Amino acid sequence: MSIALTQTLSKISWLEPMIKAAQGENRSQNLSIIAKAIGIPLAGILVFLMIWHAAASSINTSLGKFPGPADVLIQSKTLISEHITEREKAAAFYQRQDERNARRLAQDPDYIVKIRDYTGKPTYVDQIGTSLITVLSGFLIASLIAIPLGIVIGLNANLYSAFNPVIQIFKPVSPLAWLPLVTMVVSAVYVSDDPVVAKSFVTSMITVMLCCLWPTVINTAVGVASISQDLKNVSQVLRLSWLTHVRKIVLPAAIPMMFTGLRLSLSIAWMVLIAAEMLAQNPGLGKFVWDEFQNGSSNSLGRIMVAVITIGLIGFALDRIMLLLQRSVSWDKSATLR
């Protein structure tokens, strides 16, 4: 294994035991490490699948038996097939439109070409993309507000005391409470005959932002306030400016707590978005789940279960991405991150 490839793979936390095993010389010890790194998680997944299969076969609902792993796999393939079919229809639509416009231009060179968008129903993959764009937009805006705010109130005990009651009051507010208020405000303020983005997107994004703001603010402030006195003394001896002090001393020392807040905020953002989409009927995975529930067909339960697993996998992937980002920007490369 090349040195460059080894260094790249070693950045992925769950691959570290296998990298060490591949570089070791004791074969029995290596096999034991690989078995723990791969075998134990696989065993846990297999046990979960068996319990799920056994439980599903004994649960009857108004729409039939509760979907088991096999049913979810079938519905997953169906949803992917529907997406491919819809993309083929869209490609054929645009091809016919281009051919029609080409003929009109050949007959009349002054003809103004009109490009119409394909208006087919969004597929399951399209809904996933919409949810990801919405949650990342809300999370990014929340982070841009929360990190500077957390740094400022973490550096000043009086500001921390002033803001803390406000943070503690709004932190536990449910997205179900925020959503009606946000919807009315957006409807009143965001008025345009040709909006750049849909109101539904703005409503969901702001709701996500309001709910995922607080963990990052709190953890950043605590991380900044917990900086050791030795580091503060170094900054004073060097007579660093406020901005340089924040950049050279505060941020590196507060990164672990800051990323703890960011990871919590991102997981909350993902949960809030699904609830907001279901309640407001905004495009995305939440609306997909609600539509299938209302549909009530024999395939609905299987499709809902596919969405549940997709939501979980995406949430896990987003958390792992944040973990890799933390590892890349952290000064302590030897720290154990989970």
Side-chain angles (χ1 to χ4, degrees):
M1 184 179 293
S2 67
I3 296 176
L5 180 59
T6 300
Q7 291 176 344
T8 302
L9 293 177
S10 64
K11 295 179 181 179
I12 305 177
S13 58
W14 60 271
L15 284 177
E16 286 182 0
M18 287 177 280
I19 297 298
K20 293 178 180 178
Q23 294 174 332
E25 297 179 357
N26 190 327
R27 186 173 182 180
S28 61
Q29 184 179 1
N30 293 348
L31 291 176
S32 175
I33 293 174
I34 293 175
K36 289 182 180 179
I38 300 178
I40 294 177
L42 284 178
I45 292 174
L46 288 175
V47 170
F48 168 74
L49 291 176
M50 288 189 292
I51 295 174
W52 177 13
H53 174 74
S57 61
S58 61
I59 299 175
N60 292 311
T61 70
S62 59
L63 299 178
K65 286 189 176 297
F66 190 85
D71 299 319
V72 170
L73 181 61
I74 291 171
Q75 292 304 322
S76 299
K77 293 179 179 179
T78 301
L79 289 169
I80 294 173
S81 177
E82 289 176 356
H83 173 74
I84 294 173
T85 301
E86 195 66 24
R87 294 283 71 79
E88 290 174 349
K89 290 181 180 179
F93 170 81
Y94 286 116
Q95 183 178 357
R96 291 194 301 270
Q97 186 173 219
D98 291 340
E99 292 173 352
R100 184 168 58 252
N101 288 331
R103 289 195 299 268
R104 292 292 299 273
L105 284 173
Q107 296 172 359
D108 181 9
D110 296 328
Y111 172 71
I112 300 176
V113 175
K114 298 178 181 179
I115 304 297
R116 293 179 172 83
D117 294 329
Y118 180 69
T119 56
K121 181 181 179 181
T123 66
Y124 182 67
V125 177
D126 295 333
Q127 305 276 43
I128 293 174
T130 300
S131 291
L132 283 173
I133 292 172
T134 306
V135 76
L136 292 177
S137 300
F139 171 72
L140 180 61
I141 295 174
S143 300
L144 292 175
I145 297 172
I147 292 175
L149 179 60
I151 291 172
V152 170
I153 65 177
L155 289 172
N156 190 305
N158 292 330
L159 284 177
Y160 185 88
S161 299
F163 276 91
N164 188 55
V166 178
I167 294 172
Q168 299 303 326
I169 289 171
F170 287 110
K171 182 182 67 172
V173 177
S174 167
L176 303 182
W178 280 119
L179 190 58
L181 297 174
V182 173
T183 301
M184 288 188 291
V185 171
V186 170
S187 298
V189 175
Y190 190 57
V191 180
S192 173
D193 296 331
D194 186 20
V196 178
V197 293
K199 285 186 178 180
S200 59
F201 172 82
V202 176
T203 301
S204 297
M205 181 185 66
I206 294 177
T207 304
V208 167
M209 180 200 70
L210 289 173
C211 293
C212 76
L213 189 70
W214 314 113
T216 301
V217 173
I218 294 171
N219 281 272
T220 301
V222 171
V224 171
S226 302
I227 295 175
S228 67
Q229 187 61 43
D230 292 339
L231 291 176
K232 295 179 182 178
N233 293 338
V234 169
S235 180
Q236 291 176 351
V237 169
L238 296 176
R239 296 183 179 181
L240 299 179
S241 64
W242 186 88
L243 189 59
T244 305
H245 170 70
V246 170
R247 187 164 54 89
K248 296 291 187 178
I249 304 295
V250 172
L251 285 179
I255 275 179
M257 286 295 294
M258 186 187 302
F259 268 89
T260 299
L262 288 171
R263 290 172 65 186
L264 288 172
S265 290
L266 186 54
S267 63
I268 291 172
W270 186 236
M271 289 188 293
V272 165
L273 175 68
I274 302 303
E277 289 174 344
M278 290 182 67
L279 185 65
Q281 288 295 283
N282 295 334
L285 277 173
K287 186 176 186 301
F288 173 85
V289 171
W290 184 254
D291 288 345
E292 289 296 332
F293 175 72
Q294 294 294 322
N295 184 22
S297 70
S298 58
N299 297 326
S300 291
L301 286 180
R303 289 174 174 243
I304 291 173
M305 200 63 199
V306 172
V308 168
I309 294 174
T310 302
I311 291 167
L313 290 174
I314 292 175
F316 174 75
L318 292 175
D319 183 72
R320 295 300 96 180
I321 291 172
M322 289 300 298
L323 198 63
L324 291 175
L325 182 60
Q326 179 180 355
R327 186 182 294 276
S328 66
V329 302
S330 178
W331 61 269
D332 187 2
K333 303 299 182 183
S334 61
T336 301
L337 303 177
R338 297 183 179 179

